[in-house]
Amino acid sequence: MTPLLEISNLRISVNDKPILNGISLNVHQGQIVAIMGPNGSGKSTLAKTIMGSPEVKVDQGTILFEGENITELDVTDRAKLGIFLAFQYPQEIPGVNMRYFLKSAYEARFGKKIDQLEFKSLLSDALKKLDLDSSFVQRNLNYGFSGGEKKKSEILQLLLLKPKLAILDETDSGLDIDSLKSVAQSVTLLKQSNPEMACLIITHYERILEYLIPDKVYIMKNGYISAEGDINLVNQILEHGYACFS
Ligand SMILES: Nc1ncnc2c1ncn2[C@@H]1O[C@H](COP(=O)(O)OP(=O)(O)OP(=O)(O)O)[C@@H](O)[C@H]1O
Ligand SMILES: [Mg+2]
């Protein structure tokens, strides 16, 4: 079966500094794939590269999505194809009302206008699932949000935009145990309603992986993949740290 995402021998630089040094990985439809690795190993850069961030320069290699070469596509076109990145540090956007932003993002994702009433009902369903009050979307995008609220704002986008590939960059960091559980439950819920969605979960900690069991785990170190395996790799990291991976 053609992988949903297929990255081959990817070399990336940022500001002329090589960051990713030949990464190859696959994600299949419906899979949960975890990427773990120490600080500075290149995890967020990989996430940005898959999303098509203009900051990164592809020096070599290809990114295929559903078998199509997307290496040269920009962020907007990748979002339309169904790739979504939940950022490690979601940006605060003071002048942009959250509800307006979500409606525009929805229309861009699905390439059609949606009427106010229909959107209202979609939005209120999503808010209910996340146990959020409707006042949440009357605020400006992430502006003045607590760390936990910012993560919920990303999950809300995920619920509405129904991506084929959701990349969650450290979605667990900065969350207390109850918020972590609630975010993990939301992703589980989302996967139940959209089983074809694949998740690429970038994390330092094994905690979120207790709730979202990965089908595959990659360990990144110094801009390359140093190990590939299953949940047992996570247990090795817990016992020995990243030092045992070369
Ligand atoms: N814009 C940039 N300019 C220069 N160096 C950069 C830039 N962005 C990333 N880097 C460098 O690339 C390396 C990888 O960074 P990246 O943010 O991808 O790591 P990470 O694995 O996500 O780390 P963390 O676990 O701390 O989030 C780091 O050494 C970082 O300093
Ligand atoms: Mg990072």
Side-chain angles (χ1 to χ4, degrees):
M1 200 172 73
T2 311
L4 178 69
L5 177 75
E6 187 173 8
I7 295 181
S8 309
N9 193 25
L10 196 64
R11 289 176 182 272
I12 293 295
S13 53
V14 178
N15 296 335
D16 293 328
K17 180 182 165 194
I19 309 280
L20 301 184
N21 307 311
I23 299 254
S24 297
L25 61 81
N26 286 330
V27 178
H28 283 88
Q29 204 180 50
Q31 274 188 334
I32 294 185
V33 174
I35 298 192
M36 300 183 77
N39 290 126
S41 53
K43 304 179 300 297
S44 292
T45 305
L46 176 63
K48 285 182 199 161
T49 305
I50 299 170
M51 195 66 237
S53 160
E55 275 173 61
V56 302
K57 182 173 163 284
V58 178
D59 298 319
Q60 198 185 319
T62 51
I63 307 172
L64 304 186
F65 190 72
E66 298 186 304
E68 299 287 324
N69 190 338
I70 60 161
T71 321
E72 303 294 327
L73 286 191
D74 67 16
V75 178
T76 315
D77 286 336
R78 293 189 202 198
K80 279 184 195 158
L81 290 178
I83 304 178
F84 178 89
L85 169 59
F87 287 100
Q88 183 169 6
Y89 304 107
Q91 268 194 314
E92 300 199 5
I93 310 195
V96 176
N97 169 268
M98 181 115 180
R99 190 177 190 287
Y100 172 83
F101 167 80
L102 290 170
K103 186 166 180 287
S104 308
Y106 182 94
E107 290 174 345
R109 160 77 176 98
F110 296 104
K112 59 171 193 231
K113 293 267 168 208
I114 178 166
D115 73 53
Q116 292 289 356
L117 272 180
E118 199 184 335
F119 186 70
K120 194 176 169 194
S121 124
L122 274 182
L123 190 56
S124 82
D125 274 357
L127 286 167
K128 229 178 266 164
K129 281 184 184 149
L130 287 178
D131 219 4
L132 287 170
D133 191 81
S134 62
S135 59
F136 191 71
V137 292
Q138 284 154 20
R139 296 169 70 176
N140 283 344
L141 186 56
N142 294 332
Y143 187 67
F145 281 21
S146 74
E149 286 169 339
K150 281 182 184 167
K151 302 287 163 161
K152 284 205 168 178
S153 147
E154 300 276 303
I155 299 291
L156 177 62
Q157 292 172 47
L158 206 59
L159 270 171
L160 282 170
L161 303 180
K162 295 191 171 45
K164 291 179 183 168
L165 174 66
I167 309 167
L168 309 178
D169 190 2
E170 310 270 355
T171 297
D172 46 351
S173 69
L175 293 182
D176 62 44
I177 186 73
D178 293 330
S179 304
L180 174 79
K181 252 191 218 168
S182 125
V183 164
Q185 276 163 357
S186 313
V187 177
T188 306
L189 197 101
L190 191 70
K191 274 200 66 65
Q192 280 162 357
S193 65
N194 184 11
E196 293 183 347
M197 179 182 79
C199 287
L200 194 58
I201 299 179
I202 296 175
T203 183
H204 280 122
Y205 305 108
E206 75 302 338
R207 228 170 43 173
I208 195 166
L209 304 177
E210 285 170 20
Y211 302 101
L212 300 168
I213 311 292
D215 298 290
K216 193 157 51 172
V217 177
Y218 289 104
I219 309 292
M220 268 186 87
K221 234 180 152 177
N222 301 325
Y224 59 88
I225 304 280
S226 73
E228 175 184 343
D230 59 14
I231 188 79
N232 290 316
L233 269 184
V234 180
N235 299 328
Q236 278 187 45
I237 294 166
L238 271 181
E239 274 186 46
H240 308 292
Y242 290 112
C244 60
F245 300 98
S246 56

